[in-house]
Amino acid sequence: MALLIGCGESSSAASHILLLRYLNRALDSIKHDITQIFANIFCSTIKSDSNVRTCGDEDLPPPPSFEHLMATMDERYQLRARHWYSKQKGYDDKRDPYAVFNVLDTMLRDSLERLKTMRQSLSLPDLGFQECTLEVNYAKHVHVIRDLCLVGKVGAALWLRRKMIHKCVVPDVFTHNYLVNGLCKTSDLERADWLIREMVEMGPSPNRATYNTFIKGYCLSDNVDKALYIFSVMANSDIRPNRVTFNILIHALCKKGLLEEAWKLLGEILEEEKDKESPDLITSTILMDAHFKNGEMVQALSLWDEMVRKSIQIDVVAYNVLIHGFCLSRQMKLAYRYFCEMLKRGLLPDVFTYNTLINGLCKDGKFEEASYIHGVMARLGVTPDPISYKIIIQGLCIYGNVGRAHNFLVCMLENSIVPEPHTWNVIIDCYGRLGDLGNAFSIRDQMLAFGVLPNVFTFNALVHAQVKGGNIANAYSLKKKMFLCGLYPDVVTYNMLIGAACNLGHMRLALQLHDEMLRWGCEPDMITYSELIRGHCLKGNVEVAEELFAKIQKTGLPIDHVPFQLLIKKYCKIGEFDMAYDLYQKWITRDQ
C-alpha cells in the first residue's frame, strides 16, 4: 500500500488491487484443499480394492463397495454406470477405480465455476462500493482538516492528518499548505518547518505556495534573515520563485527600513523577467509606501508617475498609500485632490481611505472637517470602524475637547461598538487633567458595565486625577485596589505617588514608596530620582539630595537637565554660589 501511494496511486485503487490478490490466494488455497481431500478418498478406495491381504485381515469388515461410495455423494455428482465402467480385465465386479477421477474432476470443475462466479460478483459491485466509500472518506477528512486550519485549530488538524497517514492515506499538497498556513498564523514556525521537512521526505512534495506561505510566516515574525534562507532553499529545490515570493520579501525589507536591499531584490526580478520593464502594481505600491514613510516624497511620486505613464490599472490600495503619504507630510490639499480623483475614476474609497483623512485632519486640529468626513463616510455606505472613532476621540482629547469626545463615545456605544480600554482611558485621563473627577469615575463605571476590564493605564489616569486634585489618600487607595484587581503598579504609578508625597513634604512616605517599588521589582527611572531630589531640596536636605545625585551617576541612567537645575537652584537659595557654578560647569561639559 505504501508503495502504491508513493507512486501516486489513489487509496481506493490500492485497496481494489489488494482485495483481488486476496481473493486469488483464497481460491488457490480452496483448490489445494479440495484436491487433497479427494486424493485421500482415492487412496482409501484403491486400498480397499486391493486383493492383497495380510495376516489378520480375515477379521476386518469387507471394504465399502463402489456403489456405497457414490451413494454418499450428492446426486448431482453421480454419473451413469456406462460412463464409469472400464473394459479392463481382472475385475470381477462392476467397480472401476478410474471412475473416481471422473467424479473428482466433475466436482472440482463445479467448485471452481462457483468460486469464479463468486469472485466476479465481488470484484464488480462490492469493490466499486468500497472504492466509492474510500473516496468519500478521503474527501471528508481533507475538508475537515482545511476547516480546522481556517478556524485556528491546527493541532486537531494535525492529529487527523496523522490518523489518515496511519491508514496509508496521505493528504494532498493543497491540504498540507492549509496546515503550513495555519501554523504560520499562530507563529508556530518550528512545527511548520518540521511539517515541510516531512513533506520532502515522505510526500507530497512542497510546491511554490508552500514555500511562499513559510516565507511570509517568518516575515510576519520579523525574522527576515530566516525568510531569506528559506528563499535560498526554495531556489535550490528547483522551485522557481514568482512575483508573490519577491513581493513578500520586498515588503519585509521595506518594513525593516532596508530600502536599498529591496531595490536590489527588485532588480533581480526585472533581470529574470526580461519582458518586464518596470515593477508591477503591488511592488510599486510597497516601495512607494516605504519612501513616503522615510520622508522621500520625490522617489515615491516618481513611482506613481511611472505607474500612470505605463497605464497600469491603479487600485484603491495604491490611492490609499498616496493619500496617506500626503497626510504624513501635512499636505491635505493634495490628499483631497487624489481623493476626488479616486471618485472620478469610479473607485470607491474604503474605511482605510476615510480613516487616513480623519487622522490627518485631527493632527492639524481641524476637528470640524474631521467630524464632517466621519459623517459623510456613513452616508456613503462605509460604516465607521473602532479605529475611526478612536482617531477622532483621541484627537479631541489631546486638544481638551472632552465633551465632544464623550459624545462620540456615546455614538459608538449606540452603534453596538464597544471600544477597547485605550479609548476609555483617553477620556478618563482628559477628565482627570481637567479636574473633573466625577465624570472620570463615571466613565470608569460605564467601562465596567460594558464588560471592559480596567488596566494599569486606567488606574494611572485615575491616580493622576486624584494627585492633581491633592487627594493623596484617595490616590494611595487606588494603588491598593490595583492589587485586588490582579494588577501591579508600574513605574508611572509610583512616580506620581512619590511626586505627590514630596510636594506635600511627606518624605517618609515617599521613601517608603521607593522601597516598595524596589521590592516589587519595579526599577526607578530618572523621574523617580528627580522627584526625590526635589523633595529633599524642599525639606532642606541638601546632602541627601547630593547623595541621590551621585547615585544616579553611578547607575548609568541618562541624566537630563532637571536634577542639575534643582540642585543649582537650591545652592543659589542657600548662598552656595561657588557650588552652583561648579555644578553648572559640569552640566555644560556633559552636554558638550
Side-chain angles (χ1 to χ4, degrees):
M1 179 70 74
L3 178 61
L4 290 172
I5 294 176
C7 295
E9 295 290 340
S10 64
S11 58
S12 58
S15 61
H16 193 165
I17 294 172
L18 286 176
L19 186 56
L20 288 177
R21 289 180 178 175
Y22 172 77
L23 287 174
N24 289 332
R25 292 176 182 176
L27 292 174
D28 293 339
S29 177
I30 293 172
K31 180 178 178 181
H32 178 269
D33 293 341
I34 292 175
T35 306
Q36 188 68 30
I37 291 172
F38 288 142
N40 293 335
I41 294 175
F42 170 73
C43 291
S44 63
T45 304
I46 295 299
K47 184 177 180 180
S48 65
D49 289 336
S50 176
N51 293 325
V52 181
R53 296 224 176 191
T54 59
C55 296
D57 286 342
E58 294 81 0
D59 298 331
L60 293 176
S65 63
F66 185 75
E67 289 79 4
H68 181 267
L69 175 65
M70 295 305 299
T72 60
M73 298 182 182
D74 197 341
E75 293 181 356
R76 56 182 172 172
Y77 296 117
Q78 295 181 9
L79 302 177
R80 295 184 181 274
R82 56 188 176 88
H83 296 299
W84 295 351
Y85 291 160
S86 173
K87 296 181 180 180
Q88 215 174 34
K89 295 181 180 181
Y91 290 92
D92 55 355
D93 55 10
K94 298 181 179 180
R95 293 177 297 172
D96 187 355
Y98 291 98
V100 178
F101 286 103
N102 295 331
V103 176
L104 295 178
D105 185 64
T106 303
M107 294 176 65
L108 183 59
R109 282 201 308 268
D110 189 71
S111 298
L112 290 176
E113 287 294 333
R114 288 188 289 111
L115 290 174
K116 179 181 178 182
T117 305
M118 183 188 302
R119 180 171 61 182
Q120 290 176 350
S121 63
L122 284 175
S123 62
L124 295 177
D126 293 349
L127 290 180
F129 175 76
Q130 188 177 15
E131 179 179 355
C132 180
T133 304
L134 289 173
E135 290 179 357
V136 170
N137 290 336
Y138 173 81
K140 181 178 68 175
H141 292 330
V142 164
H143 283 298
V144 170
I145 290 175
R146 297 173 185 176
D147 291 340
L148 288 172
C149 292
L150 291 176
V151 297
K153 298 181 179 179
V154 190
L158 288 173
W159 176 85
L160 183 56
R161 170 188 173 270
R162 186 168 61 253
K163 290 295 182 183
M164 292 180 67
I165 293 177
H166 286 171
K167 294 182 179 180
C168 299
V169 180
V170 181
D172 56 9
V173 65
F174 190 64
T175 307
H176 277 84
N177 289 345
Y178 270 86
L179 291 167
V180 174
N181 184 51
L183 292 171
C184 290
K185 283 185 177 180
T186 57
S187 300
D188 196 352
L189 298 173
E190 292 185 1
R191 295 179 73 182
D193 185 42
W194 160 81
L195 182 61
I196 293 176
R197 291 178 185 274
E198 191 168 287
M199 291 172 66
V200 173
E201 295 176 359
M202 300 176 55
S205 299
N207 57 11
R208 186 182 298 160
T210 312
Y211 283 106
N212 285 348
T213 304
F214 198 30
I215 290 172
K216 185 178 180 181
Y218 276 115
C219 291
L220 291 176
S221 63
D222 203 24
N223 194 344
V224 182
D225 294 336
K226 189 67 175 179
L228 292 172
Y229 170 74
I230 299 299
F231 173 73
S232 64
V233 171
M234 177 182 180
N236 295 331
S237 301
D238 295 332
I239 299 177
R240 185 177 181 182
N242 58 0
R243 276 299 182 101
V244 176
T245 317
F246 287 110
N247 286 338
I248 293 172
L249 291 172
I250 288 174
H251 184 248
L253 292 171
C254 289
K255 284 178 66 177
K256 297 283 288 185
L258 304 173
L259 264 175
E260 185 177 352
E261 286 75 7
W263 275 105
K264 289 181 180 178
L265 192 59
L266 177 61
E268 294 181 10
I269 303 175
L270 301 179
E271 185 177 351
E272 289 186 4
E273 301 177 3
K274 296 181 180 180
D275 57 332
K276 300 283 186 179
E277 297 181 358
S278 62
D280 62 357
L281 175 63
I282 299 176
T283 312
S284 298
T285 304
I286 294 171
L287 293 171
M288 186 171 61
D289 180 61
H291 282 300
F292 273 127
K293 290 178 179 179
N294 287 349
E296 300 169 351
M297 180 74 69
V298 177
Q299 291 85 341
L301 292 178
S302 65
L303 284 167
W304 177 268
D305 294 336
E306 186 177 0
M307 286 193 293
V308 174
R309 182 171 55 85
K310 296 291 184 181
S311 300
I312 297 177
Q313 190 67 30
I314 301 175
D315 59 1
V316 177
V317 178
Y319 272 103
N320 286 346
V321 169
L322 183 65
I323 293 172
H324 180 254
F326 287 128
C327 290
L328 285 177
S329 59
R330 303 294 181 88
Q331 299 184 29
M332 295 306 299
K333 290 183 178 180
L334 290 174
Y336 273 124
R337 171 187 169 185
Y338 284 97
F339 176 78
C340 296
E341 184 179 307
M342 283 183 67
L343 297 174
K344 290 179 181 179
R345 290 196 174 194
L347 297 174
L348 296 179
D350 56 11
V351 66
F352 300 102
T353 316
Y354 288 106
N355 288 347
T356 302
L357 289 173
I358 292 172
N359 186 51
L361 292 170
C362 288
K363 286 182 178 180
D364 287 345
K366 299 177 180 179
F367 295 106
E368 293 295 333
E369 295 183 31
S371 301
Y372 174 76
I373 296 294
H374 190 276
V376 166
M377 65 184 295
R379 291 195 294 272
L380 292 178
V382 181
T383 305
D385 62 355
I387 298 178
S388 309
Y389 287 101
K390 176 183 175 181
I391 292 171
I392 197 166
I393 288 174
Q394 184 170 336
L396 289 169
C397 289
I398 289 174
Y399 283 87
N401 197 347
V402 67
R404 199 165 182 179
H406 194 174
N407 293 334
F408 274 99
L409 175 64
V410 173
C411 180
M412 195 175 182
L413 297 173
E414 289 176 351
N415 292 326
S416 301
I417 302 176
V418 179
E420 59 182 6
H422 175 76
T423 306
W424 299 92
N425 295 341
V426 167
I427 299 177
I428 292 172
D429 181 66
C430 190
Y431 274 125
R433 286 188 284 109
L434 296 176
D436 192 349
L437 292 176
N439 278 321
F441 280 94
S442 175
I443 296 295
R444 193 276 309 269
D445 296 338
Q446 192 177 10
M447 175 182 180
L448 293 171
F450 277 91
V452 181
L453 297 178
N455 52 24
V456 177
F457 302 100
T458 312
F459 280 98
N460 285 347
L462 295 173
V463 168
H464 180 257
Q466 294 285 8
V467 167
K468 191 170 184 179
N471 305 319
I472 184 66
N474 293 337
Y476 197 78
S477 65
L478 283 172
K479 180 181 72 69
K480 294 181 179 179
K481 289 182 180 179
M482 293 179 68
F483 291 107
L484 297 176
C485 294
L487 301 173
Y488 295 95
D490 58 2
V491 64
V492 178
T493 314
Y494 282 109
N495 286 345
M496 289 189 294
L497 293 173
I498 290 173
C502 291
N503 287 335
L504 298 175
H506 301 317
M507 292 306 301
R508 184 176 179 181
L509 176 60
L511 293 175
Q512 288 178 354
L513 290 169
H514 174 264
D515 296 337
E516 181 182 316
M517 69 184 298
L518 290 176
R519 288 197 304 271
W520 285 104
C522 185
E523 292 294 331
D525 59 3
M526 193 64 228
I527 299 176
T528 313
Y529 290 112
S530 297
E531 292 293 338
L532 291 173
I533 289 173
R534 183 166 58 85
H536 285 296
C537 289
L538 290 175
K539 296 289 290 185
N541 302 327
V542 182
E543 294 181 358
V544 180
E546 290 175 346
E547 291 177 359
L548 281 174
F549 184 73
K551 184 177 181 180
I552 297 173
Q553 293 176 324
K554 292 180 180 179
T555 56
L557 290 173
I559 303 176
D560 57 7
H561 62 284
V562 177
F564 288 97
Q565 289 181 346
L566 290 172
L567 287 172
I568 290 172
K569 186 177 181 180
K570 185 61 180 178
Y571 286 145
C572 292
K573 281 186 177 181
I574 62 177
E576 296 289 344
F577 298 106
D578 293 337
M579 297 181 67
Y581 183 75
D582 292 339
L583 188 57
Y584 175 75
Q585 291 295 326
K586 292 181 181 180
W587 181 14
I588 297 299
T589 304
R590 182 190 63 86
D591 290 340
Q592 291 176 352

